[in-house]
């Protein structure tokens, strides 16, 4: 099923993701939250590596305070295994600059593909169809291009797996900002989150440089 039709260092002081291959019983699930150490161990067990890291930015307007508005930041990362068949979008309970005490699986992913947003060419896979394509073009016009394209996956009540909406993370490497977006079943775009302090990890950059360099690096 296509995306269109389906619609050893701690990175940034926060996430560690490397190690052995998991058994199915060890696999993380959407909305699962764990203490940082336990999440790190689960990611290691699944052979996950962190490829991008940033902060989700949430603005709260508070008319009762003279400051007017408050901005909350929560660290966000995307991980993938060696072939990109499984990955995760993860969110901590602290900004990237601090150590989170709890981390949650915001989305479980399949078919995770990393793209180089530093390049001017937009990958054809980003054009999911319909009105979503216009968002891709508008973003590209200001230097914002896909960093990650993946499929979300969900577990049904009977234990079977279904594929959900696509997930696209756009990034502008010049300003280190971006967004998480999806295409609804009618291909209308929907922005899910705003990202700041957004970067490729050292492992992510080595993946973009090619498999030979990536395999030569020590695990992150």
């Amino acid at each position: 099923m296509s995306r269109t039709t389906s619609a050893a260092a701690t990175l940034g002081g926060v996430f560690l993701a490397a190690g052995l291959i998991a058994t199915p019983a060890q696999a993380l699930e959407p909305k699962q939250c764990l203490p940082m150490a336990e999440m790190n161990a689960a990611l290691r067990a699944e052979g996950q590596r962190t490829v991008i890291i940033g902060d989700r930015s949430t603005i709260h307007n508070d008319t009762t305070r003279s400051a007017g508005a408050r901005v909350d930041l929560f660290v966000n990362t995307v991980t993938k295994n060696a072939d990109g068949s499984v990955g995760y979008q993860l969110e901590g309970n602290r900004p990237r600059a601090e150590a989170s005490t709890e981390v949650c699986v915001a989305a479980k992913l399949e078919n995770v593909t990393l793209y180089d947003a530093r390049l001017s060419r937009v990958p054809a896979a980003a054009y999911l169809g319909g009105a979503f394509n216009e968002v891709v073009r508008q973003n590209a016009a200001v230097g914002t291009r896909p960093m990650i394209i993946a499929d979300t996956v969900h577990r049904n009540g009977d234990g079977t797996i279904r594929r959900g909406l696509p997930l696209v993370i756009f990034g502008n490497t010049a300003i280190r900002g971006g967004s998480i977006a999806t295409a609804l079943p009618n291909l209308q775009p929907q922005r899910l989150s705003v990202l700041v302090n957004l970067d490729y990890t050292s492992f992510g950059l080595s993946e973009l440089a090619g498999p030979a360099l990536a395999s030569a690096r020590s695990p992150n």
Side-chain angles (χ1 to χ4, degrees), residues 134-212:
E134 185 57 29
V135 171
V136 176
R137 288 189 284 266
Q138 290 173 356
N139 280 345
V142 295
T144 302
R145 292 174 282 269
M147 299 175 76
I148 294 280
I149 301 175
D151 295 311
T152 60
V153 290
H154 309 273
R155 186 176 295 279
N156 297 316
D158 62 0
T160 59
I161 301 296
R162 61 181 170 85
R163 185 171 294 171
L165 297 174
L167 181 140
V168 181
I169 296 184
F170 292 99
N172 186 314
T173 57
I175 64 172
R176 299 178 62 227
S179 63
I180 303 175
T182 190
L184 299 175
N186 62 0
L187 299 179
Q188 287 293 315
Q190 182 172 331
R191 187 171 68 178
L192 304 175
S193 303
V194 173
L195 299 174
V196 298
N197 306 319
L198 181 62
D199 298 297
Y200 294 103
T201 65
S202 58
F203 178 75
L205 288 172
S206 69
E207 284 272 289
L208 294 173

Side-chain angles (χ1 to χ4, degrees), residues 11-12 14-15 31 36 43 50-58 72-79 88-98 100 102-107 109 147-148 167-170 176 178-181 192-201:
L11 299 170
V14 181
F15 285 100
K31 313 306 179 186
M36 172 63 71
L43 293 170
T50 307
V51 290
I52 64 171
I53 184 170
D55 285 314
R56 176 172 66 85
S57 175
T58 303
D72 290 333
L73 301 177
F74 301 95
V75 66
N76 266 250
T77 68
V78 173
T79 72
Y88 299 98
Q89 179 209 343
L90 302 169
E91 179 165 296
N93 62 349
R94 297 285 188 274
R96 175 181 172 177
E98 303 175 18
S100 288
E102 183 179 73
V103 182
C104 297
V105 178
L109 308 173
M147 299 175 76
I148 294 280
L167 181 140
V168 181
I169 296 184
F170 292 99
R176 299 178 62 227
S179 63
I180 303 175
L192 304 175
S193 303
V194 173
L195 299 174
V196 298
N197 306 319
L198 181 62
D199 298 297
Y200 294 103
T201 65

